[in-house]
Amino acid sequence: MHFANYVEERGRPLSLGRGEHLFRQGDTSGSVYVLREGLLKAYYLSDDGRENIKSFIQPGELIASLAAVYTGEDCSFGVVCLEPSLIVELDFDALLAETRRDLVLAAEMLEHLLDFSMKKERREREFLTDSAETRYRVLMGRSPELFDQVTQKDIARYLGITPVALSRIRKRSAES
Amino acid sequence: MHFANYVEERGRPLSLGRGEHLFRQGDTSGSVYVLREGLLKAYYLSDDGRENIKSFIQPGELIASLAAVYTGEDCSFGVVCLEPSLIVELDFDALLAETRRDLVLAAEMLEHLLDFSMKKERREREFLTDSAETRYRVLMGRSPELFDQVTQKDIARYLGITPVALSRIRKRSAES
DNA sequence: CATTGGCGTTAACCCGGGTTAATGCGTCCT
DNA sequence: AGGACGCATTAACCCGGGTTAACGCCAATG
């Protein structure tokens, strides 16, 4: 069975309004979510209340706390809705069990994971090798839509800097 | 078939001495490598010659440039041997083809990829939320062996800072 | 044995980003 | 309309890490 069909058959549709949470950091969760429409934000909350953004989730993408669904830990991050969203919820254990019976599904899950891994590798690389300013320019080039969809504050927290620092970077690049 | 058996049957053994490369940044590569024994270092080289370390590979771990083997791009990083190593080389396309026929192998590949993804997520998170000093302390707690195996320079480049900065951090934590 | 070269440490100086705070601007609420 | 709130900008100050360079040490090499 193809993943799309599996989602169709076994998924539970969900609809979230701006500001509502799909799950929160510290929750337990056994679900994987597919975003159909809207926009989500995955973020870490540190002890002192600071927010760092792990990723923005666009329609068509999957989101789950791997540590939570796969090893049973608490969610290491939360997911909140930035724009009214349509989401489909899947039970991870059932999905994993199905991949053990279905070659087509297993192959597609492998593809998804490979894509996911490559994205994570790219982001890891950017943090390791690029300055904040470079990361900003790369992001602008790759996902200009983001700048219309989310606040500059969230962009900054995604880049790993403060809103103040991002404002300075923008000023610098506007001048040059 | 189990992955271990597949490696046994289809893998080509390789042996590398200190300083030899498994592959270099910019190479094309269609292989996945399993480290049997020894120690490898995966690193990015920036235009100005600066080296940033993506990861150290310990016995039992897999290494490949996903972008290279999966999408056919050039390797975005290189892998060099830090200690005399025994390695087994696998053809990625053949492995992927086999997972499309073999449920057991597919399931095991999924597990490997899930583990890999979780590692990448953790490192991404550390860069996003922790200071260099915290990253150093976490690494010391998690992998103390590393400090005997590799130079302080390489540890620093893995943490995303310069050797000078790491030396200062160590001095600070020794004083306190 | 002397030389070379890489590593770790330390110091001095610089710079980018963090912090705090003030200001101005929209948006939402009543 | 009037407040209240959050966001973006800007300034002033601080601090951690980058850069450069000097020094001592050790291992490899002639």
Side-chain angles (χ1 to χ4, degrees), chain A residues 151-153 164 167-168 171:
Chain A
T151 62
Q152 205 164 301
K153 177 172 168 283
V164 179
S167 181
R168 284 192 289 235
K171 194 185 178 192

Side-chain angles (χ1 to χ4, degrees), chain A residues 53-118:
Chain A
I53 296 181
K54 177 180 153 63
S55 61
F56 300 103
I57 296 103
Q58 301 278 3
E61 295 186 313
L62 290 174
I63 181 69
S65 170
L66 286 185
V69 300
Y70 188 53
T71 73
E73 295 169 35
D74 290 349
C75 294
S76 56
F77 59 90
V79 175
V80 67
C81 183
L82 294 184
E83 282 175 23
S85 296
L86 299 178
I87 299 157
V88 181
E89 178 175 18
L90 297 170
D91 186 69
F92 177 77
D93 288 336
L95 174 58
L96 195 59
E98 192 63 25
T99 62
R100 298 196 198 287
R101 284 192 293 271
D102 187 325
L103 271 170
V104 175
L105 188 62
E108 251 176 309
M109 289 308 293
L110 269 175
E111 275 177 47
H112 270 120
L113 269 175
L114 280 167
D115 285 339
F116 179 79
S117 299
M118 287 173 56

Side-chain angles (χ1 to χ4, degrees), chain A residues 22-158:
Chain A
L22 196 50
F23 54 83
R24 286 173 197 273
Q25 187 167 332
D27 286 359
T28 54
S29 164
S31 295
V32 177
Y33 302 91
V34 184
L35 181 61
R36 276 280 156 76
E37 204 176 293
L39 181 64
L40 304 177
K41 159 174 104 172
Y43 66 102
Y44 299 109
L45 218 46
S46 31
D47 308 329
D48 56 1
R50 199 178 296 352
E51 178 178 319
N52 287 98
I53 296 181
K54 177 180 153 63
S55 61
F56 300 103
I57 296 103
Q58 301 278 3
E61 295 186 313
L62 290 174
I63 181 69
S65 170
L66 286 185
V69 300
Y70 188 53
T71 73
E73 295 169 35
D74 290 349
C75 294
S76 56
F77 59 90
V79 175
V80 67
C81 183
L82 294 184
E83 282 175 23
S85 296
L86 299 178
I87 299 157
V88 181
E89 178 175 18
L90 297 170
D91 186 69
F92 177 77
D93 288 336
L95 174 58
L96 195 59
E98 192 63 25
T99 62
R100 298 196 198 287
R101 284 192 293 271
D102 187 325
L103 271 170
V104 175
L105 188 62
E108 251 176 309
M109 289 308 293
L110 269 175
E111 275 177 47
H112 270 120
L113 269 175
L114 280 167
D115 285 339
F116 179 79
S117 299
M118 287 173 56
K119 263 195 234 167
K120 291 290 133 185
E121 273 205 11
R122 193 181 54 195
R123 189 150 150 83
E124 171 193 280
R125 182 195 184 173
E126 286 170 352
F127 274 117
L128 189 57
T129 67
D130 298 344
S131 68
E133 181 157 356
T134 303
R135 293 202 299 278
Y136 167 71
R137 274 189 278 106
V138 169
L139 183 64
M140 274 201 67
R142 188 168 58 222
S143 309
E145 346 76 64
L146 263 189
F147 290 77
D148 307 324
Q149 299 179 314
V150 311
T151 62
Q152 205 164 301
K153 177 172 168 283
D154 278 350
I155 302 267
R157 291 309 184 186
Y158 175 76

